[in-house]
Amino acid sequence: MTVSVTGATGFIGRRLVQRLHADNHSVHVLTRSRSKAELIFPVKEFPGIVIAEEPEWKDSIRGSNGVVNLAGVPISTRWSPEIKKEIKDSRIRVTSKVIDLINDLPDSVRPTVLVSATAVGYYGTSETQVFDEQSPSGNDYLAEVCREWEATALKVNKDVRLALIRIGVVLGKDGGALAKMIPLFMVFAGGPLGSGKQWFSWIHLDDIVNLIYEALSNPSYKGVINGTAPNPVRFAEMCEHLGNVLGRPSWLPVPDFALKVVLGEGASVVLDGQRVLPVKAKELGFTFKYSSVKDALRSIISQ
């Protein structure tokens, strides 16, 4: 396949491009910064990769069988009013642009599949509810972002198969929430962040990449699919496993204020959770490499 990817230089995108390239697919990296993309995907290691800045996106998409849309500024950062605006605008703007470019192409050269990221923030937060793909949306800021993000992707031409992946907290070595949490853990000897009762719907980086990869090639993958592991845990349990893996006891809770100092309002991503189940992925027969958070953390920390 020839696949165009937005957000390719991000935490998930990077690994997805590596996987596609390793399997001999042609990859078009749709970026706003050629220099950044060339640093991450040097030609020596990624021969044949196409790096396209925005004016060239149209031609890249025209030559693609599939498009993966992962663009958006990270949410696990401090939220100022400007950042909140950028969290939303960056996602809507790129998604809208990609949809317009796909829809403007003649049928004969239009990609046949779009895999577009969204997030479990769609459901809002709860300590008691269980959410699957049928559950209604929440009423907080991230739920609103996700609703608009998905609504934008849904405007794609009806002949294009659309998979919307509601991604949980992605666990991996070099980025995402874990990279922010480990230093805090080391300072506070690794206790739970906040009350510890909040739910943590996680997924290993390898599994989310495999799910996106499968959604590109398997026609059964369409509509909303939760990108979370089958066994979400309460945060205290996650922290206990992380403490064990890091060789740090998990007995001292990291105070809310410490997390808020690092993340500001963005701390809500970790302090308020939701219990999300991957009902659709399981129905589709997707195999998770890591279904327990203990195994996932052990594999990441030992890398």
Side-chain angles (χ1 to χ4, degrees):
M1 286 178 84
T2 299
V3 183
S4 285
V5 185
T6 74
T9 59
F11 180 45
I12 300 172
R14 227 175 263 210
R15 185 66 70 89
L16 177 66
V17 170
Q18 288 168 354
R19 170 81 201 274
L20 288 164
H21 189 265
D23 286 357
N24 295 318
H25 297 291
S26 299
V27 183
H28 294 181
V29 170
L30 307 188
T31 183
R32 285 193 291 173
S33 166
R34 179 182 299 282
S35 53
K36 182 180 178 186
E38 284 172 345
L39 277 176
I40 291 170
F41 306 115
V43 134
K44 219 166 49 214
E45 288 168 47
F46 295 88
I49 200 165
V50 174
I51 293 175
E53 284 191 307
E54 263 187 74
E56 302 145 339
W57 285 16
K58 184 178 182 177
D59 289 337
S60 281
I61 289 175
R62 171 191 285 275
S64 297
N65 311 103
V67 177
V68 180
N69 177 39
L70 299 171
V73 301
I75 57 172
S76 47
T77 52
R78 282 190 68 81
W79 290 1
S80 60
E82 299 77 43
I83 294 272
K84 278 178 83 165
K85 188 174 179 327
E86 184 55 17
I87 282 172
K88 187 167 169 181
D89 291 356
S90 61
R91 287 166 171 74
I92 308 301
R93 189 187 75 80
V94 174
T95 303
S96 188
K97 178 164 178 110
V98 166
I99 298 302
D100 288 347
L101 292 172
I102 292 173
N103 289 352
D104 287 347
L105 288 169
D107 293 355
S108 58
V109 289
R110 186 182 291 127
T112 54
V113 56
L114 169 65
V115 181
S116 204
T118 161
V120 294
Y122 174 90
Y123 302 111
T125 61
S126 171
E127 281 187 13
T128 52
Q129 278 174 279
V130 182
F131 301 100
D132 65 19
E133 287 86 355
Q134 305 301 316
S135 303
S137 187
N139 52 17
D140 57 13
Y141 164 69
L142 282 179
E144 178 194 316
V145 170
C146 293
R147 278 197 305 276
E148 285 195 38
W149 197 5
E150 293 185 17
T152 307
L154 284 162
K155 292 177 183 160
V156 76
N157 180 291
K158 292 295 166 267
D159 292 334
V160 176
R161 178 170 60 84
L162 172 66
L164 286 166
I165 315 280
R166 287 185 187 145
I167 301 175
V169 182
V170 179
L171 301 180
K173 187 74 173 170
D174 303 312
L178 206 56
K180 293 255 184 354
M181 283 157 52
I182 287 173
L184 274 179
F185 239 70
M186 292 314 209
V187 173
F188 286 95
L193 300 160
S195 73
K197 288 197 188 78
Q198 71 273 37
W199 283 96
F200 188 72
S201 292
W202 60 278
I203 186 165
H204 190 288
L205 180 58
D206 289 353
D207 280 327
I208 192 64
V209 166
N210 287 343
L211 186 69
I212 293 166
Y213 191 93
E214 191 63 26
L216 273 171
S217 54
N218 185 331
S220 307
Y221 282 63
K222 49 179 177 282
V224 172
I225 302 167
N226 287 334
T228 58
N231 297 301
V233 289
R234 289 198 188 266
F235 210 75
E237 187 187 331
M238 143 84 186
C239 290
E240 195 179 325
H241 290 311
L242 186 54
N244 289 339
V245 172
L246 291 171
R248 309 289 297 236
S250 182
W251 49 267
L252 191 67
V254 176
D256 287 13
F257 78 79
L259 201 63
K260 287 190 171 131
V261 166
V262 179
L263 294 180
E265 204 185 338
S268 66
V269 176
V270 173
L271 292 176
D272 310 308
Q274 58 283 96
R275 187 183 185 186
V276 178
L277 300 180
V279 171
K280 190 94 171 277
K282 293 188 92 168
E283 279 171 5
L284 287 162
F286 180 78
T287 308
F288 288 88
K289 195 168 156 192
Y290 300 98
S291 49
S292 91
V293 76
K294 187 162 92 180
D295 293 345
L297 291 169
R298 194 177 284 137
S299 88
I300 290 161
I301 305 299
S302 67
Q303 277 171 11

